[in-house]
Amino acid sequence: MQKNLINHLDAVNAFSAYKKEPNWMYKIRQAALKKADTLDLRRIERVRYDRWPLFNIDDDSLINGKKATAKIPAFDKNRESPILVQQDDTVIFEQLPQELVDKGVIFTDIFTAMQKYPELVKEYYMTKSVPMDEDKITAAHAAFMNGGLFLYVPKNVVIEQPIEAIFHHDGDLPAHFFKHVLIVAEENSEFSYLERFMTEGSLAKKVSGNIIVEVIAQKDAKIKFSGIDQLGENLSCYIKRRGYLLRNASIDWAMGVMNEGDVIGDFDSELEGEGSHAEVKAVAISAGRQKQAIDTRVTNKAPHSVGHILQHGVIRDRGTLTFNGIGHILKGAKGSDAQQESRVLMLSDKARGDANPILLVEENEVTAGHAASVGRVDPEEMYYLMSRGLPKEEAERLVIRGFLSAVLTAIPVKEVEKELINVIERKVDA
């Protein structure tokens, strides 16, 4: 692990000036940089990632900036729905229908938001959901953040069309990939949001990624959040997604962890308000020699809050996949419900899988339960499929889809379910 992140101070100052950041953001970077070297990594059960290259900072990209290349993911510019496409720290395309602008919806890149809506961003940026000094990862993120977006949906606004964001990583450049997504849903608002992180190119080696997504759901807000991660094999990344839910708010998470490199997925839901509700659904595939760990936590802090976790994963080749499911009911959260299911299927004798259910209950009059399993594919099932004329690769594909279908069919947004199936097919064929 790289030490002395404070040595990048000049580059951080240059980047802040280049982006014309407000003084309060400059001060956050300074404070974070001073703390980063003193903080520890967050402990992830049964996962060692302290030697991963998570702090390889490219000073040149901070000082000189980067120009977008032609390697941009395909997307439909003719759609009328809100969409933002970003390559590294450059916005490629941004669209927000006028009717949503008139209702007060804000959907733009994080640097523009700091300049145009400084008070709003300052109120929520790493203050409610993810504190800047929570650990070494969050402090480094605050210091070196180089892209992201801000989504704000005002009180009582319901958005019918999905809101989409594409973050494209150029895998041929050594620049670190530190992105921040800040979503604020005011009281009684409702919308669906889909984000994709993807890499093209693989010339750069040992690139560092650090993604933080903060979702603040105010009273009675309803959010359907979908994330599809397809980052490259030379990018080691820590992805932290966290929801902060107030009274009767709900977030329905659906995430596909389909990366090629080593990744920590740190997915938290903080049920702060009475009656708040989080549903977390995740699917993951590990292959080659990659290591992926999905650490999913729901913390019931208020009465009658509900947190459910459903995660299934498949491992091929020499891959490693660890699922941690943590349900924590705090004292005072009477009438709460914490349920979880984590299942891992290994398709190779050399694959390594783990599923760890953790229930922490500090209150009576609650409901809590868990299920977990790790196993290998049934040889008889494969034999049956192959005896019907299917080649081994096609038989494996059917087994994988069948195993993940319990999660996929539970995803409330059917377009996301279909896209995830297509992503899974590409991952299996790779």
Side-chain angles (χ1 to χ4, degrees):
M1 180 189 303
Q2 179 177 333
K3 300 293 185 181
N4 300 321
L5 294 174
I6 192 67
N7 292 340
H8 300 284
L9 177 62
D10 290 342
V12 168
N13 290 343
F15 183 77
S16 184
Y18 167 68
K19 288 297 185 181
K20 300 178 181 178
E21 293 179 341
N23 189 54
W24 60 264
M25 185 62 192
Y26 170 79
K27 289 182 177 179
I28 287 177
R29 289 189 186 272
Q30 298 289 305
L33 197 53
K34 290 176 181 176
K35 286 192 173 184
D37 287 320
T38 68
L39 296 171
D40 294 326
L41 294 171
R42 178 173 178 175
R43 184 172 181 268
I44 305 293
E45 290 289 335
R46 304 191 189 185
V47 178
R48 287 287 304 275
Y49 65 101
D50 54 301
R51 295 184 181 275
W52 291 14
L54 293 173
F55 303 98
N56 289 347
I57 304 302
D58 181 46
D59 281 357
D60 184 62
S61 68
L62 288 173
I63 296 171
N64 299 316
K66 302 181 294 298
K67 299 297 183 183
T69 68
K71 298 196 294 287
I72 300 166
F75 62 95
D76 184 2
K77 290 186 179 181
N78 296 318
R79 290 177 300 181
E80 296 183 356
S81 58
I83 184 171
L84 186 147
V85 182
Q86 192 173 113
Q87 179 174 313
D88 297 315
D89 68 343
T90 303
V91 174
I92 303 299
F93 185 76
E94 183 178 313
Q95 176 175 276
L96 184 64
Q98 187 60 44
E99 62 176 295
L100 297 182
V101 175
D102 295 340
K103 292 179 179 179
V105 175
I106 301 168
F107 185 48
T108 189
D109 73 278
I110 193 73
F111 300 113
T112 299
M114 287 180 200
Q115 295 169 14
K116 289 188 175 181
Y117 317 100
E119 295 306 315
L120 263 180
V121 179
K122 182 180 179 181
E123 181 180 355
Y124 294 105
Y125 184 87
M126 302 193 84
T127 61
K128 305 284 187 186
S129 180
V130 181
M132 172 272 286
D133 57 356
E134 180 174 281
D135 55 41
K136 190 178 187 71
I137 292 289
T138 58
H141 175 92
F144 301 111
M145 185 274 292
N146 59 1
L149 67 79
F150 177 57
L151 170 60
Y152 176 82
V153 181
K155 183 178 180 180
N156 296 326
V157 172
V158 177
I159 302 176
E160 299 294 340
Q161 60 267 60
I163 302 167
E164 298 184 59
I166 300 173
F167 295 93
H168 179 61
H169 169 243
D170 188 342
D172 291 336
L173 299 178
H176 57 281
F177 191 74
F178 282 35
K179 306 303 162 191
H180 195 97
V181 174
L182 178 57
I183 298 174
V184 179
E186 292 287 11
E187 288 186 22
N188 205 40
S189 62
E190 186 173 347
F191 58 90
S192 295
Y193 168 83
L194 166 62
E195 69 182 17
R196 305 174 183 86
F197 290 97
M198 54 182 65
T199 296
E200 277 194 32
S202 59
L203 296 179
K205 306 300 180 185
K206 294 186 177 181
V207 179
S208 300
N210 186 327
I211 297 167
I212 290 183
V213 179
E214 299 185 277
V215 184
I216 291 90
Q218 303 282 11
K219 178 184 174 184
D220 294 313
K222 294 180 176 59
I223 303 168
K224 293 178 181 178
F225 182 108
S226 304
I228 301 177
D229 306 328
Q230 303 172 75
L231 296 169
E233 63 178 326
N234 294 325
L235 179 71
S236 297
C237 193
Y238 194 111
I239 304 173
K240 183 188 291 287
R241 292 185 173 110
R242 184 174 297 173
Y244 181 89
L245 295 82
L246 298 184
R247 185 182 180 92
N248 292 327
S250 68
I251 301 178
D252 204 325
W253 305 89
M255 288 166 286
V257 185
M258 301 290 152
N259 307 288
E260 301 297 332
D262 296 339
V263 170
I264 299 287
D266 182 354
F267 307 143
D268 292 352
S269 296
E270 303 287 338
L271 304 179
E272 302 279 347
E274 183 172 357
S276 53
H277 188 154
E279 294 282 338
V280 187
K281 304 174 186 71
V283 293
I285 298 178
S286 285
R289 292 178 177 271
Q290 77 174 135
K291 300 177 181 66
Q292 292 193 113
I294 314 300
D295 194 76
T296 306
R297 175 188 294 266
V298 177
T299 306
N300 301 70
K301 297 183 177 182
H304 308 291
S305 53
V306 177
H308 294 163
I309 299 169
L310 176 63
Q311 45 194 14
H312 284 199
V314 174
I315 316 172
R316 306 172 69 203
D317 310 318
R318 295 174 178 267
T320 299
L321 177 62
T322 300
F323 276 141
N324 292 321
I326 304 106
H328 191 180
I329 300 178
L330 299 185
K331 185 71 176 176
K334 288 186 180 296
S336 291
D337 181 25
Q339 304 290 336
Q340 56 175 285
E341 177 185 317
S342 299
R343 302 197 184 278
V344 176
L345 178 66
M346 296 180 288
L347 298 180
S348 163
D349 290 339
K350 296 177 181 178
R352 295 180 59 190
D354 213 340
N356 309 307
I358 301 170
L359 277 177
L360 306 171
V361 180
E362 302 174 12
E363 184 57 89
N364 299 316
E365 301 176 33
V366 299
T367 304
H370 63 77
S373 67
V374 178
R376 302 193 185 279
V377 65
D378 186 349
E380 292 187 4
E381 185 176 3
M382 287 290 292
Y383 176 79
Y384 175 82
L385 292 171
M386 294 171 66
S387 70
R388 294 300 184 270
L390 291 177
K392 182 180 179 181
E393 292 77 11
E394 184 64 26
E396 271 194 3
R397 184 182 290 106
L398 288 176
V399 170
I400 290 171
R401 283 191 59 174
F403 183 74
L404 299 179
S405 64
V407 181
L408 295 171
T409 56
I411 294 174
V413 182
K414 292 306 164 187
E415 291 79 5
V416 174
E417 178 189 347
K418 291 177 182 177
E419 181 167 349
L420 257 178
I421 290 173
N422 291 333
V423 171
I424 290 167
E425 295 286 349
R426 291 196 295 272
K427 172 85 171 175
V428 171
D429 290 338

